[in-house]
């Protein structure tokens, strides 16, 4: 029954209608007591009570008890009203800052383009600074650990004694063997990083050049940034459809009243498993189509001699993908869906094993190793699929031929692609954080009227919404930018290997913008 605020016996008779709200009743007694009442009504079929419509105050009995008792703090009443008041307060904040929240996506997009063009201009020096700073930090760590391990005398190197004394390793410093091992590992890492750095330095300029061309591509074909919106919409529609179908399947079983749950037979269980696999496949298929569309539009832009003649390359790429490359997307996404399904099956059996042996260390080791191997396999296949889609978009071949061509192209240019991946990973990680933080800060500054001193007093809830929107826009921009970079890199490598003499996209456009005059053409024809 719903809460009445009265102490009642087994038969429902009122024992005491003026029991103080702070009075407690032992669990061994056959009585029940509602600590604080709120006008409510029973919800049919759920064995629960819900607040009555329009009720906003505590019942009179409860209120009098609270007032009469000195042990009843006033914040209890406030706690009852807090959810509705908090929701109303947050709604008012959102309503007040709604236009800033709406503009947050555009602000984040503008900052993303500014960040990309900044990298295009200053990418090379920033890259060298980051790599050099990393080397210096690693060298300093090796020096400190070597001094702590007594490999090096602190007095032989000027300034090293002060550096070593300013760093404390805590309890680990007392273990000399651990300190020696850490120094050895850090030394090996420094040597390996130095060798990698020497290999990467000549190729950094190529990576920066590719990143700059990708920025130009996004600037001239900004419609590619709309593709993630359609992907999100398709993914949401897929999940909504999947949930509805799953509810129908789940309710098709036999209801067991004693267990309060549906019991599924073998056929229904197989249908639910098949339905779950369809969710995995559908989601990966949407992502695969997006990669093919972006790769096709980027390749069309890069290979065009005169980019002024391009008409909606994203639309033409979408048509090609839907008409010619749907099977490639379906086959590639099927491979990823199978691996993901195996991971989920593995997790299910690991859950069963842990439930049977919760403290067995072998089960934990098996779960960790299996999850790590399957995760690495999925990442490798995602990487290979992504490059295969690029080859399909460029050459129009099927998935297997494209995967083989992409794999061989990566092997032949492993150092270049390694340098490019390192640079893009660093810039994308920094870009996501920079765009989200800068956009959120600007929106918060607008909320407080442009006063820098009052930025910290900006409303928290609208600022949090702005931060979420900004981070989502930054992630979408960086994903599209990353796909553009990989596509242009493959075009660049194929151009060099095939010796076609094609110049980078920016140089092509310079030639197209300044064609030779008729007199020059006649003179050249006469010479030939």
């Amino acid at each position: 029954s719903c809460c009445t605020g009265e102490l009642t016996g087994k038969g429902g008779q009122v024992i005491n209608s003026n029991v103080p709200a702070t009075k407690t009743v032992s669990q061994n007694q056959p009585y029940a007591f509602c600590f604080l009442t709120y006008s409510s009504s029973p919800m049919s079929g759920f064995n629960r009570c819900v607040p009555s419509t329009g009720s906003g105050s505590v019942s009179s009995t409860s209120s009098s008890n609270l007032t009469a008792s000195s042990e009843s703090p006033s914040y209890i009443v406030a706690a009852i009203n807090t959810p509705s008041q908090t929701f109303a307060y947050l709604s008012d904040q959102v309503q007040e800052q709604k236009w800033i929240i709406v503009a947050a996506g555009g602000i984040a997009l503008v900052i993303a383009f500014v960040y990309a063009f900044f990298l295009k201009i200053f990418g090379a020096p920033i890259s060298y600074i980051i790599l050099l700073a990393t080397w210096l930090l690693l060298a300093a760590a090796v020096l400190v650990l070597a001094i702590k391990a007594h490999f090096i005398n602190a007095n032989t190197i000027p300034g090293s004694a002060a550096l070593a004394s300013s760093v404390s390793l805590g309890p680990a410093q007392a273990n000399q063997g651990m300190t020696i091992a850490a120094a050895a590992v850090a030394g090996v890492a420094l040597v390996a990083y130095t060798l990698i750095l020497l290999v990467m330095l000549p190729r950094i300029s190529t990576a920066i050049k590719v990143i700059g061309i990708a920025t130009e591509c996004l600037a001239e074909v900004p419609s590619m940034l709309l593709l993630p919106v359609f992907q999100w919409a398709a993914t949401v529609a897929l999940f909504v459809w999947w949930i509805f179908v799953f509810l129908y399947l789940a309710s098709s079983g036999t209801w067991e009243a004693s267990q309060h749950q549906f019991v599924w037979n073998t056929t229904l269980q197989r249908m639910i498993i098949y339905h779950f696999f369809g969710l995995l496949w559908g989601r990966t298929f949407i992502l695969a189509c997006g990669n093919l569309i972006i790769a096709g539009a980027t390749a069309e832009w890069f290979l065009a001699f005169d980019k002024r003649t391009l008409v909606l390359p994203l639309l033409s790429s979408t048509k090609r993908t839907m008409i010619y490359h749907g099977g490639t997307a379906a086959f590639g996404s099927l491979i990823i869906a199978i691996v993901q399904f195996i991971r989920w099956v593995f997790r299910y059996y690991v859950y069963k094993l842990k439930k049977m042996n919760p403290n067995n260390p072998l089960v934990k080791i098996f779960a960790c190793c299996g999850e790590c191997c399957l995760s690495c396999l999925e990442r490798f296949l995602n990487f290979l699929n992504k490059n295969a889609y690029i080859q399909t978009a460029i050459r129009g071949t099927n998935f297997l031929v494209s995967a083989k061509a992409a794999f061989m192209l990566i092997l032949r240019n492993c150092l270049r692609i390694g340098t490019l991946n390192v640079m893009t990973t660093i810039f994308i990680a920094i870009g996501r954080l920079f765009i989200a933080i800068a956009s959120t800060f600007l929106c918060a500054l607008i909320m407080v009227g442009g006063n820098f001193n009052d930025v910290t007093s900006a409303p928290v809830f609208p600022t949090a919404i702005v931060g979420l929107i900004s981070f989502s826009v930054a992630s979408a921009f960086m994903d599209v930018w990353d796909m553009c970079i990989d596509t242009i890199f493959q075009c660049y490598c194929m151009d060099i290997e095939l010796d076609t003499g094609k110049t980078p996209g920016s140089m092509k456009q310079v030639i197209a913008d300044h064609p030779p005059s008729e007199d020059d053409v006649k003179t050249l024809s006469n010479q030939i």
Side-chain angles (χ1 to χ4, degrees), residues 164-179:
S165 61
S166 62
V167 178
S168 177
L169 302 180
Q173 190 169 345
N175 190 336
Q176 191 66 15
M178 184 180 296
T179 306

Side-chain angles (χ1 to χ4, degrees), residues 64-371:
S64 61
N65 290 338
L66 282 172
T67 306
S69 175
S70 60
E71 299 177 7
S72 302
S74 59
Y75 63 79
I76 295 179
V77 180
I80 294 297
N81 294 326
T82 293
S84 59
Q85 291 178 350
T86 302
F87 180 77
Y89 174 70
L90 295 179
S91 299
D92 291 340
Q93 284 189 339
V94 172
Q95 184 68 20
E96 184 179 353
Q97 309 293 344
K98 59 181 179 180
W99 296 117
I100 298 177
I101 294 174
V102 171
I107 294 174
L109 191 59
V110 171
I111 294 177
F113 272 110
V114 171
Y115 175 78
F117 278 104
F118 180 82
L119 288 182
K120 178 184 176 183
I121 300 173
F122 302 103
I126 291 176
S127 302
Y128 292 125
I129 291 173
I130 292 175
L131 295 175
L132 180 60
T134 304
W135 189 89
L136 291 175
L137 289 175
L138 192 56
V142 172
L143 178 61
V144 170
L145 290 172
I147 293 175
K148 298 289 185 181
H150 303 295
F151 288 153
I152 299 176
N153 188 354
N155 297 323
T156 58
I157 302 176
S160 60
L163 177 62
S165 61
S166 62
V167 178
S168 177
L169 302 180
Q173 190 169 345
N175 190 336
Q176 191 66 15
M178 184 180 296
T179 306
I180 294 174
V185 171
V188 172
L190 177 62
V191 173
Y193 181 76
T194 303
L195 295 176
I196 294 174
L197 194 61
L198 293 175
V199 174
M200 286 177 58
L201 284 177
R203 296 167 177 83
I204 290 179
S205 59
T206 301
I208 297 300
K209 186 178 182 180
V210 171
I211 291 174
I213 297 175
T215 303
E216 290 183 13
C217 177
L218 273 181
E220 296 189 16
V221 192
S223 56
M224 286 193 292
L225 297 173
L226 297 177
L227 186 62
V229 178
F230 292 100
Q231 285 185 293
W232 292 339
T235 303
V236 170
L238 174 66
F239 272 95
V240 170
W241 171 82
W242 187 87
I243 290 172
F244 272 100
V245 175
F246 174 76
L247 291 177
Y248 276 106
L249 290 175
S251 60
S252 299
T254 304
W255 174 256
E256 292 290 342
S258 59
Q259 300 179 3
H260 296 283
Q261 65 180 10
F262 286 98
V263 177
W264 304 326
N265 56 28
T266 304
T267 302
L268 194 56
Q269 289 178 359
R270 290 175 179 173
M271 291 178 65
I272 292 174
I273 293 174
Y274 176 78
H275 186 52
F276 176 70
F277 179 78
L279 173 67
L280 299 177
W281 192 3
R283 179 178 172 274
T284 51
F285 178 77
I286 293 172
L287 296 176
C289 289
N291 287 336
L292 277 166
I293 292 172
I294 294 174
T298 304
E300 183 178 352
W301 175 89
F302 182 84
L303 297 174
F305 180 79
D306 187 358
K307 295 174 177 51
R308 295 172 300 181
T309 61
L310 290 176
V311 179
L312 298 177
L314 183 68
L315 182 59
S316 59
S317 178
T318 303
K319 290 180 180 179
R320 287 195 302 270
T321 300
M322 296 296 104
I323 296 174
Y324 302 108
H325 305 321
T328 298
F331 188 77
S333 58
L334 175 63
I335 297 174
I336 302 299
I338 292 174
V339 176
Q340 291 179 348
F341 183 75
I342 293 173
R343 290 186 67 181
W344 280 104
V345 173
F346 176 79
R347 290 167 184 168
Y348 172 77
Y349 283 108
V350 166
Y351 168 76
K352 290 291 186 181
L353 288 175
K354 287 184 177 179
K355 196 173 182 180
M356 295 170 57
N357 305 284
N359 298 321
N360 192 335
L362 293 178
V363 173
K364 296 180 179 179
I365 295 174
F366 171 73
C368 182
C369 294
E371 183 68 22

Side-chain angles (χ1 to χ4, degrees), residues 480-508:
V480 174
W481 192 45
D482 184 36
M483 193 66 187
C484 290
I485 291 173
D486 290 340
T487 304
I488 290 174
F489 177 75
Q490 288 202 27
C491 292
Y492 174 81
C493 292
M494 293 173 65
D495 183 21
I496 293 178
E497 289 185 354
L498 298 175
D499 195 21
T500 58
K502 294 182 178 293
T503 52
S506 58
M507 295 300 296
K508 290 181 181 179

Side-chain angles (χ1 to χ4, degrees), residues 368-444:
C368 182
C369 294
E371 183 68 22
C372 179
C373 293
L374 290 173
S375 177
C376 291
L377 176 61
E378 183 180 350
R379 291 184 181 183
F380 170 75
L381 291 176
N382 273 321
F383 175 77
L384 186 60
N385 278 17
K386 180 180 179 181
N387 289 277
Y389 296 148
I390 294 173
Q391 284 291 312
T392 297
I394 296 173
R395 304 171 62 181
T397 52
N398 61 43
F399 179 81
L400 294 178
V401 174
S402 299
K404 180 181 177 181
F407 184 74
M408 299 306 297
L409 183 67
I410 292 171
L411 284 182
R412 293 192 300 269
N413 299 273
C414 57
L415 296 179
R416 288 174 177 170
I417 198 170
T419 304
L420 181 66
N421 284 339
V422 170
M423 303 309 300
T424 53
T425 301
I426 294 174
F427 288 145
I428 287 175
I430 295 175
R432 279 197 177 101
L433 294 177
F434 172 76
I435 295 168
I437 293 174
S439 303
T440 305
F441 176 80
L442 285 178
C443 291

